[in-house]
Amino acid sequence: MDEIRGGRSAKKYPYFEEETSVEVVNARMGADIDPRLREIMGVIVKHLHAAVKEIEPTHEEWLKAIQFLTEVGQTCTEWRQEFILLSDTLGVSMLVDAINHRRPSGATENTILGPFYVPEAPRYEHGTNICLDHKGEPTVVRGRVLDTAGNPVAGALIDVWQTNDDGFYDIQQKGVQPDWNLRGVFTSDQEGAYWFRSVKPRYYPIPDDGPVGKMLAALGRHPNRPAHIHFIVTAPGYDPVITHIFTPDCEYLSEDAVFGVKETLIADLQKIEDPKEVSRLGMTAPCWLINWDFTLSAKAPSA
Ligand code: BEZ
Ligand code: FE
């Protein structure tokens, strides 16, 4: 009889019942499917059914959930990825990142990439000012790229991007900000050193005019990210680091809407007012200074 139905497990779990719902659904998977897919779907069905059993939603509530996910999908475009925002705001992006970047202690920690990275930014000489709209408080960022033993890593690429002083990335304001505003790629020298000029970053809201923004409001959460500068640092033989540095004086530091802050990524920020110090930094007026070293861990031999 079981063979006629074609299901080896259909014998044990043929019909849907509340108590055995997980086993009934998971038993339908074919015998020859990808084992990782079997594992993933088995766990998802297990936890999804457990959530539904605990919540006991009404039909109206379940329909509302489906409408929400439909709206999330309908909000996605080439330039807007609402599902990533949903994953970010629920802490899932940071969890996946943490699981995939368990580094030796001392190595610079990863954090969320975010949706505003653009590859192939202009390559610049040290000291270049990446702020092309001349708004904001001038800031010098300087430091070294090192390995975990403290040796300099020469030739590392330091890809940087941040919002302007109005809290928007250039690609959010095409035609308003100059193209490539506040983006650039620098290369560490023989001592591992790099430096560039920019503006003091400021906090800004993640895009909150869609369903994820409505969800945050319904949960009594704000959409703000604390002030930060993004980096991707790469060098042959080392694990790439995708990270940000955060300024210590931002009021949203302990309540990032996407949970991207790590204590080790909070930078030291100094106001430089002494004219001699200012000119030593290659500046002409008082400015902010951020000293920041990156520590790269060697790639695992199999990587
Ligand atoms: C960002 O920092 O650019 C970002 C990260 C997650 C969601 C939205 C923006
Ligand atoms: Fe950002």
Side-chain angles (χ1 to χ4, degrees):
M1 187 62 174
D2 290 328
E3 273 168 31
I4 294 169
R5 287 191 187 143
R8 70 226 156 273
S9 342
K11 180 178 167 190
K12 205 162 168 205
Y13 303 111
Y15 305 119
F16 193 94
E17 284 165 23
E18 187 177 328
E19 294 70 28
T20 55
S21 66
V22 173
E23 290 78 7
V24 172
V25 172
N26 282 339
R28 287 289 169 87
M29 287 191 270
D32 302 324
I33 65 168
D34 179 330
R36 179 69 171 154
L37 178 64
R38 178 190 301 285
E39 182 188 0
I40 292 170
M41 287 309 296
V43 171
I44 288 177
V45 167
K46 180 169 93 180
H47 289 283
L48 188 59
H49 283 223
V52 171
K53 286 173 188 181
E54 188 174 341
I55 297 165
E56 299 195 332
T58 62
H59 279 297
E60 289 71 25
E61 285 169 335
W62 185 236
L63 190 62
K64 214 168 164 184
I66 287 173
Q67 279 164 346
F68 170 73
L69 290 176
T70 304
E71 215 187 310
V72 170
Q74 288 169 341
T75 306
C76 294
T77 66
E78 193 190 346
W79 295 103
R80 174 82 177 248
Q81 233 302 353
E82 197 74 0
F83 271 113
I84 294 184
L85 277 188
L86 183 59
S87 157
D88 295 344
T89 51
L90 294 181
V92 179
S93 303
M94 280 303 289
L95 190 53
V96 172
D97 196 72
I99 289 165
N100 284 280
H101 299 285
R102 294 178 182 132
R103 298 215 164 101
S105 92
T108 302
E109 292 195 274
N110 248 57
T111 190
I112 205 159
L113 174 68
F116 299 118
Y117 174 63
V118 182
E120 318 268 316
R123 301 277 287 260
Y124 289 129
E125 295 295 319
H126 290 167
T128 302
N129 188 355
I130 59 171
C131 178
L132 309 180
D133 65 0
H134 309 294
K135 292 180 179 175
E137 299 173 70
T139 299
V140 169
V141 182
R142 68 172 187 193
R144 295 172 80 200
V145 183
L146 304 167
D147 66 16
T148 47
N151 302 307
V153 177
L157 295 182
I158 301 135
D159 197 337
V160 51
W161 70 105
Q162 67 173 89
T163 60
N164 76 348
D165 199 49
D166 298 324
F168 294 101
Y169 289 92
D170 56 351
I171 56 169
Q172 292 177 289
Q173 290 193 313
K174 283 185 170 289
V176 175
Q177 292 188 39
D179 288 349
W180 301 109
N181 191 26
L182 291 153
R183 294 177 190 274
V185 180
F186 297 85
T187 308
S188 62
D189 68 15
Q190 286 311 306
E191 272 72 54
Y194 73 92
W195 79 281
F196 61 90
R197 284 179 255 205
S198 186
V199 283
K200 187 170 186 267
R202 45 151 290 168
Y203 76 82
Y204 65 86
I206 62 168
D208 65 341
D209 54 347
V212 170
K214 278 191 232 159
M215 176 192 81
L216 292 180
L219 295 176
R221 287 174 53 180
H222 65 72
N224 295 323
R225 294 220 62 206
H228 60 271
I229 305 177
H230 292 258
F231 293 94
I232 298 180
V233 183
T234 51
Y238 295 91
D239 269 340
V241 173
I242 299 175
T243 199
H244 324 340
I245 56 176
F246 297 88
T247 51
D249 57 348
C250 182
E251 64 198 275
Y252 291 107
L253 202 53
S254 60
E255 40 184 272
D256 185 356
V258 301
F259 307 98
V261 181
K262 293 183 177 175
E263 205 163 1
T264 60
L265 299 177
I266 302 171
D268 171 49
L269 175 76
Q270 296 168 50
K271 183 88 201 198
I272 306 296
E273 285 167 313
D274 172 16
K276 273 198 209 132
E277 275 291 299
V278 167
S279 88
R280 219 173 286 142
L281 285 173
M283 303 294 275
T284 51
C287 64
W288 294 97
L289 172 63
I290 296 175
N291 284 304
W292 185 262
D293 291 346
F294 295 96
T295 303
L296 306 185
S297 55
K299 268 201 169 98
S302 60

